[in-house]
Amino acid sequence: MKISINGSRVIDERVSLLSGEGALHSIHGGKQIMASCSTSSGLMTAATKFTVFVENERAATLSF
């Protein structure tokens, strides 16, 4: 997962290939950045959701 803030890459890490889940951490501009990833499987598809936090405040939710 690659996450950029204002054009600066702040997270460039991998999540589990088996489960599609993980927690990624970084520091940007003196603030803690964290992304939590979860994958849910349905009958025919799987959906992956990343929730990005800046200083423990939700900043974005990304779905794939």
Side-chain angles (χ1 to χ4, degrees):
M1 179 56 144
K2 297 174 191 258
I3 298 175
S4 297
I5 297 175
N6 295 330
S8 297
R9 176 124 345 125
V10 295
I11 291 180
D12 188 355
E13 297 183 38
R14 295 178 185 264
V15 295
S16 170
L17 290 175
L18 297 175
S19 68
E21 298 187 0
L24 313 172
H25 302 272
S26 182
I27 301 287
H28 175 71
K31 296 184 178 186
Q32 180 181 4
I33 310 297
M34 195 269 289
S36 176
C37 176
S38 63
T39 299
S40 60
S41 296
L43 185 59
M44 302 284 276
T45 62
T48 301
K49 181 170 92 172
F50 278 89
T51 305
V52 181
F53 298 87
V54 176
E55 290 290 308
N56 295 318
E57 185 175 323
R58 186 174 56 161
T61 301
L62 311 168
S63 298
F64 303 95

